[in-house]
Amino acid sequence: MMRELKVEDALIYLDQVKMEFSAKPQIYNEFLEIMKNFKAQEIDTPGVIRRVSNLFRGYNALILGFNTFLPEGYKIELKDIEKIERERESALAAQRAQQAAA
């Protein structure tokens, strides 16, 4: 069940995203695409969390603000962001090691 999402909250968040990435409109557009896919249930909740966290990497306030859109029972916390960062770093290190070995 979705918690009640106030239209004003969603619009405020979208404005924040648009302003933060005013120099990179492709990020805002990609966010809208992710949201469209999430609404159409083409992406599940863990998937949308992962994609938004990756897209907004380094912008923790925006990542945490995304909680507004999540169904009840889901919540992004700082420790989740840090875990995603660690996983990304491990994947990059493994990729670099493979390239070095090739």
Side-chain angles (χ1 to χ4, degrees):
M1 186 177 111
M2 292 288 279
R3 66 178 78 123
E4 193 179 333
L5 176 62
K6 293 188 175 74
V7 175
E8 307 83 57
D9 292 341
L11 292 175
I12 288 168
Y13 183 79
L14 287 173
D15 272 348
Q16 288 172 338
V17 173
K18 198 172 198 173
M19 282 189 297
E20 190 67 61
F21 297 109
S22 59
K24 297 177 183 172
Q26 71 275 17
I27 291 181
Y28 178 72
N29 292 332
E30 194 174 330
F31 174 70
L32 294 180
E33 192 65 28
I34 290 169
M35 292 306 292
K36 193 171 78 176
N37 293 337
F38 182 49
K39 189 170 189 237
Q41 297 181 335
E42 293 166 15
I43 308 174
D44 63 2
T45 302
V48 82
I49 289 171
R50 211 171 21 261
R51 288 188 188 188
V52 169
S53 297
N54 284 329
L55 185 64
F56 294 163
R57 182 179 178 198
Y59 295 85
N60 291 355
L62 286 180
I63 296 171
L64 295 172
F66 188 68
N67 284 318
T68 304
F69 296 96
L70 296 177
E72 221 165 284
Y74 288 92
K75 186 174 196 262
I76 304 170
E77 295 179 21
L78 203 53
K79 64 178 171 45
D80 302 321
I81 297 170
E82 290 163 353
K83 181 176 179 254
I84 289 168
E85 278 299 311
R86 281 193 305 277
E87 288 169 359
R88 183 184 295 111
E89 291 304 317
S90 298
L92 285 174
Q95 196 177 30
R96 280 194 289 270
Q98 271 185 332
Q99 287 171 346

